[in-house]
Amino acid sequence: MYLAASTLRISATTNPDLFEKRTRQEQMAGLMATSLRNPRGSIALLKKPSQPLGKFALPSLGLKWRSPVTKAIATPVNIIASVPGFVQLAEPVFEIDEFKAWKTVAITISALAAGYAALAVAPWYLYPVVYMYLGTAVTGLFVVGHDCGHNSFSKSQLVNDVVGTIMMAPLIYPFEPWRIKHNIHHAHTNKLIMDTAWQPFRPHQFDRAGPFTKAVMKAAMGPLWWVASVGHWLLWHFDLSKFRTQDLPKVKVSLVAVLAFTLVVLLPLLITQGPIGFIKWWLLPWLGFHFWMSTFTLVHHTAPHIPFKQNREWNVVEAQLNGTVHCDYPAWVEILCHDISVHIPHHVSTRIPSYNLRKAYASIQKNWDKYLNKAVFGIPLISTIINECNLFDAEQKKWIKFEKAARQLQSSGGKPSSASNDSTCLN
């Protein structure tokens, strides 16, 4: 029995009729995802699909796949007791636990209070340590809003919208514009042109750019990778022309919320504390958040062996499973950031709440481990990415260097060609 439980929810009726899809991405990913548990409690979240895409039967439930459908139904059932005739029962990895959800809010608020208390009393020479902690705690605000954006925080759409808007407002991150663009990222992960999380610089863009633009590109994919998300934040979230007419009411509410925080909190902070106080109490923690925002975005989808693909070549399951990287960070970072780094199950299904990601990942490892990309955060990892992943060549389907001479060296297998020698002499 193969339940597409990562994306499809079974109604709790005695005569469930069908599964319904939300997006094509979820339909495809659902073919490989299942959340199952035997009466003893062992988990087998992912099973390799034995049947092709299209119609497939679920004989144990008498259910069939139907493709011309439009939305998901009901919620997953938390079955605790064993049922005669069943050898495995659904593990509620997709089920929302309101207590655990609000616990993430409490952890973040407590961490922020502790960080700001430390900042108030710490001597100046301890500021680097305090800001390292505080910037990470501030990132927790975004991660809670992130769950809200995927409707995995609460069963109530209104609660998701309100909590997401409130949690992201201190970051001057408008919730609804981010949610819309972020869900496009999940639907088109590592797809050229379409992925809205970030797009790699292309050789033709770099070669035609002026000196200043080239310097910006080199910095963004080099030593200043950690502030690249600031540019993305400015580019994607405040331009109303980037959104559909039907989305504008909610988009405007989010923008008003951000403006309200700016006027009620940030402007008085600037007036009463001055520029130095503004930098101390808001700007530096905010930059700490962008360090992690930039890092997570880059690390979780970038590696020398992970390509971006054209639409005709792109495969959703491959993109979510093989195009996403699991990265281990220090334990305190993962706690404050609510396991956002456990990223592969999040891309298999965005409906898995953050507090269930480790459980899901353990099962993915059990069944699909050899297909996973794993990394450890540190200088070697960042050095590999910023040194090897400069420009993406769609024709060669690989990452190449900024400088043409280095590209020629790459294409010749590390041996300088006569052409490159001549050009080097002329320079």
Side-chain angles (χ1 to χ4, degrees):
M1 177 179 72
Y2 290 95
L3 282 168
S6 73
T7 56
L8 306 174
R9 296 176 286 173
I10 309 173
S11 67
T13 63
T14 56
N15 185 29
D17 178 44
L18 52 85
F19 290 115
E20 298 188 335
K21 72 175 183 179
R22 298 186 62 196
T23 65
R24 176 167 177 79
Q25 169 216 352
E26 294 182 334
Q27 173 188 353
M28 296 287 291
L31 292 180
M32 72 175 183
T34 178
S35 174
L36 302 172
R37 182 176 66 183
N38 64 26
R40 293 184 179 182
S42 63
I43 300 169
L45 174 70
L46 289 178
K47 296 290 185 180
K48 298 176 184 177
S50 60
Q51 302 193 31
L53 177 62
K55 292 186 176 181
F56 62 94
L58 302 175
S60 300
L61 295 178
L63 303 179
K64 292 185 178 180
W65 174 271
R66 294 182 184 176
S67 57
V69 290
T70 56
K71 62 181 180 179
I73 56 174
T75 55
V77 182
N78 184 359
I79 304 174
I80 299 177
S82 60
V83 178
F86 284 81
V87 295
Q88 295 189 104
L89 300 180
E91 171 69 26
V93 73
F94 302 94
E95 186 164 300
I96 292 170
D97 185 319
E98 301 280 355
F99 175 79
K100 290 181 179 178
W102 286 104
K103 182 180 175 182
T104 62
V105 176
I107 290 172
T108 292
I109 299 301
S110 300
L112 285 172
Y116 275 107
L119 184 60
V121 300
W124 65 268
Y125 53 83
L126 289 181
Y127 279 4
V129 175
V130 174
Y131 281 121
M132 186 185 304
Y133 168 86
L134 188 54
T136 309
V138 168
T139 307
L141 292 171
F142 177 84
V143 179
V144 173
H146 178 266
D147 266 15
C148 293
H150 289 302
N151 293 327
S152 59
F153 179 84
S154 172
K155 298 174 184 177
S156 165
Q157 182 66 59
L158 178 61
V159 171
N160 285 322
D161 289 347
V162 171
V163 173
T165 299
I166 292 173
M167 297 300 277
M168 287 193 174
L171 306 172
I172 314 301
Y173 235 108
F175 173 72
E176 189 67 14
W178 166 82
R179 185 193 67 80
I180 292 169
K181 296 304 179 185
H182 183 69
N183 283 335
I184 294 174
H185 157 64
H186 277 275
H188 302 282
T189 303
N190 283 32
K191 184 188 291 185
L192 286 169
I193 301 174
M194 293 298 296
D195 192 340
T196 54
W198 81 282
Q199 283 289 315
F201 297 128
R202 309 282 286 281
H204 68 273
Q205 294 173 322
F206 182 81
D207 293 341
R208 296 172 186 172
F212 176 77
T213 303
K214 285 184 177 180
V216 171
M217 289 181 175
K218 287 184 175 182
M221 289 302 293
L224 295 183
W225 95 89
W226 56 276
V227 291
S229 61
V230 175
H232 183 273
W233 164 74
L234 286 170
L235 177 66
W236 282 103
H237 302 94
F238 298 95
D239 184 354
L240 293 179
S241 67
K242 294 183 181 295
F243 303 96
R244 301 178 302 175
T245 302
Q246 59 265 40
D247 294 327
L248 288 180
K250 279 191 171 184
V251 167
K252 290 177 180 179
V253 168
S254 294
L255 292 174
V256 168
V258 165
L259 178 62
F261 186 87
T262 302
L263 296 177
V264 174
V265 178
L266 296 187
L267 185 59
L269 176 65
L270 179 60
I271 293 172
T272 59
Q273 301 298 313
I276 299 300
F278 181 82
I279 292 171
K280 174 181 178 179
W281 295 104
W282 185 79
L283 184 60
L284 289 179
W286 182 77
L287 288 175
F289 152 67
H290 274 285
F291 170 89
W292 287 118
M293 187 71 170
S294 300
T295 299
F296 290 149
T297 302
L298 188 67
V299 166
H300 291 162
H301 297 288
T302 312
H305 62 286
I306 296 179
F308 275 68
K309 293 190 174 183
Q310 303 279 8
N311 183 57
R312 63 182 179 273
E313 305 170 315
W314 186 81
N315 177 280
V316 64
V317 177
E318 180 185 15
Q320 311 303 352
L321 194 65
N322 299 122
T324 305
V325 176
H326 173 89
C327 186
D328 290 323
Y329 297 83
W332 65 275
V333 173
E334 296 182 338
I335 292 170
L336 292 177
C337 295
H338 308 299
D339 286 335
I340 191 65
S341 57
V342 186
H343 211 59
I344 294 175
H346 173 62
H347 268 265
V348 170
S349 173
T350 59
R351 296 305 299 269
I352 301 176
S354 58
Y355 44 81
N356 284 337
L357 288 173
R358 288 197 177 276
K359 181 190 296 184
Y361 182 63
S363 183
I364 292 174
Q365 281 187 292
K366 180 179 178 181
N367 294 280
W368 292 75
D369 190 65
K370 68 179 181 179
Y371 301 102
L372 306 182
N373 290 295
K374 305 176 187 178
V376 177
F377 179 70
I379 293 175
L381 175 63
I382 296 299
S383 296
T384 294
I385 294 173
I386 66 177
N387 289 327
E388 301 297 327
C389 303
N390 296 163
L391 304 169
F392 188 77
D393 189 322
E395 293 182 0
Q396 298 186 56
K397 302 178 183 179
K398 68 178 184 179
W399 292 94
I400 61 175
K401 299 286 189 178
F402 282 120
E403 304 303 334
K404 289 185 177 181
R407 297 180 213 171
Q408 292 172 347
L409 201 60
Q410 280 181 305
S411 62
S412 63
K415 297 179 179 179
S417 65
S418 58
S420 63
N421 286 336
D422 293 341
S423 63
T424 302
C425 293
L426 290 173
N427 291 332

